[in-house]
């Protein structure tokens, strides 16, 4: 494990520095003969998987959406007690990343929607206002202990636990070598049913990338609302206001209507 961490640190640093001469290349070859290949670890090699292999196993131990970027060497840290099996450890990391990414994608959509809809729904149903100055309840905004929110959080925790149990069962039945991170047998729309290896790999990469973007977006939501005290729908009004209510759009339409009326 110590060698793996050292190799990860060296590979991360070398990813940003290219050899400048043939002498440096010969030095690397000599070093390889003494200490083994000095290449990036498989989980951050940035290579495309060999799609001619069986779908679900990362051929050549390359992973979708692997761009060779791990400057802190996080993938070399073993928190899952995987022993010497670094392949299994990184697959567990990918599974955790997918879970967080999926939850973040839901949150990135639900956060502004509830800030837009809740005030209207609150008045229509004569229900208590659960927003904090128009902001979604969060650790920094407060309000997590109001109304039915604690029950919703408890329900989410229970569902996460049930998902963990199902994930363990799927791993044991499928086998850790063929197990696909994030695959819980739930695809009601049959999005990947019958997909070719190329299409399946592309869908995996798209989900990872969208999940990563959503995690950054939710973090920005929290930071912006905590720093300004304003809801995200007010801070980024252009993203959440229908175009027909935009002053510039109304001005364009009024001008166009006036010109048409004048010509008539």
């Amino acid at each position: 494990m110590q060698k793996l961490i050292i190799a990860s640190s060296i590979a991360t640093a070398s990813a940003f520095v290219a050899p400048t001469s043939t002498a440096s290349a010969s030095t690397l070859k000599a070093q390889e003969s003494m200490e083994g290949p000095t290449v990036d670890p498989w989980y951050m090699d940035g290579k495309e998987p060999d799609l001619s292999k069986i779908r679900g196993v990362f051929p050549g131990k390359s992973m979708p959406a692997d761009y060779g970027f791990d400057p802190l060497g996080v993938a070399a840290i073993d928190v899952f007690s995987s022993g010497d099996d670094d392949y299994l450890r990184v697959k567990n990391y990918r599974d955790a990343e997918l879970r967080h990414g999926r939850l973040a994608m839901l949150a990135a959509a639900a956060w502004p929607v509830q800030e837009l809809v809740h005030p209207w729904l609150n008045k229509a149903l004569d229900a208590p206002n659960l927003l904090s100055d128009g902001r979604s309840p969060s650790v920094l905004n407060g309000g997590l202990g109001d109304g039915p929110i604690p029950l919703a959080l408890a329900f989410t925790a229970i569902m996460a636990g049930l998902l963990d149990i199902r994930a363990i069962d799927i791993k044991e039945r499928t086998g850790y070598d063929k197990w696909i991170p994030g695959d819980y047998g739930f695809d009601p729309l049959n999005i990947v049913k019958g997909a070719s290896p190329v299409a399946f790999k592309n869908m995996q990469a798209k989900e990872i990338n969208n999940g990563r973007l959503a995690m950054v977006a939710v973090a920005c939501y929290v930071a912006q609302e905590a720093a300004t005290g304003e809801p995200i729908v007010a801070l980024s009004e252009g993203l959440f206001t229908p175009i027909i209510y935009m002053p510039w759009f109304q001005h364009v339409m009024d001008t166009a209507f006036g010109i048409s009326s004048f010509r008539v």
Side-chain angles (χ1 to χ4, degrees), residues 78-91:
D78 189 359
V79 298
F80 289 102
S81 300
S82 302
D84 295 329
D85 193 344
D86 60 334
Y87 184 44
L88 175 59
R89 182 189 70 250
V90 177
K91 287 182 74 173

Side-chain angles (χ1 to χ4, degrees), residues 60-150:
K61 291 190 173 180
S62 293
M63 305 179 75
D66 170 19
Y67 304 111
F69 181 77
D70 186 16
L72 300 179
V74 175
I77 302 174
D78 189 359
V79 298
F80 289 102
S81 300
S82 302
D84 295 329
D85 193 344
D86 60 334
Y87 184 44
L88 175 59
R89 182 189 70 250
V90 177
K91 287 182 74 173
N92 282 325
Y93 280 144
R94 172 53 60 87
D95 186 62
E97 183 182 23
L98 278 166
R99 294 193 198 187
H100 284 81
R102 289 166 180 172
L103 183 61
M105 284 187 282
L106 291 173
W111 191 295
V113 168
Q114 68 184 3
E115 291 183 350
L116 290 171
V117 175
H118 183 75
W120 171 82
L121 197 62
N122 176 31
K123 294 179 180 178
L125 301 178
D126 194 21
N129 185 10
L130 299 178
L131 299 183
S132 177
D133 295 328
R135 300 175 297 167
S136 295
S138 69
V139 174
L140 297 181
N141 290 341
L144 292 178
D146 298 341
I149 295 179

Side-chain angles (χ1 to χ4, degrees), residues 9-188:
S9 301
I10 295 174
T12 302
S14 63
F16 298 95
V17 182
T20 56
S21 65
T22 56
S24 61
S26 60
T27 303
L28 286 174
K29 291 182 179 180
Q31 186 177 359
E32 286 182 5
S33 62
M34 298 174 59
E35 303 179 2
T38 55
V39 297
D40 289 342
W42 65 268
Y43 48 79
M44 49 178 286
D45 60 8
K47 297 178 181 178
E48 295 293 329
D50 181 2
L51 299 176
S52 64
K53 304 296 183 180
I54 299 174
R55 188 182 75 182
V57 180
F58 299 119
K61 291 190 173 180
S62 293
M63 305 179 75
D66 170 19
Y67 304 111
F69 181 77
D70 186 16
L72 300 179
V74 175
I77 302 174
D78 189 359
V79 298
F80 289 102
S81 300
S82 302
D84 295 329
D85 193 344
D86 60 334
Y87 184 44
L88 175 59
R89 182 189 70 250
V90 177
K91 287 182 74 173
N92 282 325
Y93 280 144
R94 172 53 60 87
D95 186 62
E97 183 182 23
L98 278 166
R99 294 193 198 187
H100 284 81
R102 289 166 180 172
L103 183 61
M105 284 187 282
L106 291 173
W111 191 295
V113 168
Q114 68 184 3
E115 291 183 350
L116 290 171
V117 175
H118 183 75
W120 171 82
L121 197 62
N122 176 31
K123 294 179 180 178
L125 301 178
D126 194 21
N129 185 10
L130 299 178
L131 299 183
S132 177
D133 295 328
R135 300 175 297 167
S136 295
S138 69
V139 174
L140 297 181
N141 290 341
L144 292 178
D146 298 341
I149 295 179
L151 295 177
L153 294 176
F155 175 76
T156 302
I158 293 173
M159 294 302 295
L162 293 176
L163 183 62
D164 283 334
I165 295 174
R166 178 170 177 79
I168 293 173
D169 179 64
I170 291 176
K171 288 180 187 179
E172 293 177 349
R173 286 189 289 105
T174 306
Y176 289 98
D177 290 337
K178 295 183 179 180
W179 164 62
I180 304 175
D183 181 9
Y184 305 115
F186 182 77
D187 185 17

Side-chain angles (χ1 to χ4, degrees), residues 244-258:
I244 60 174
Y245 295 123
M246 294 290 185
W248 65 267
F249 181 79
Q250 293 180 352
H251 175 71
V252 169
M253 295 303 294
D254 289 343
T255 302
F257 180 77

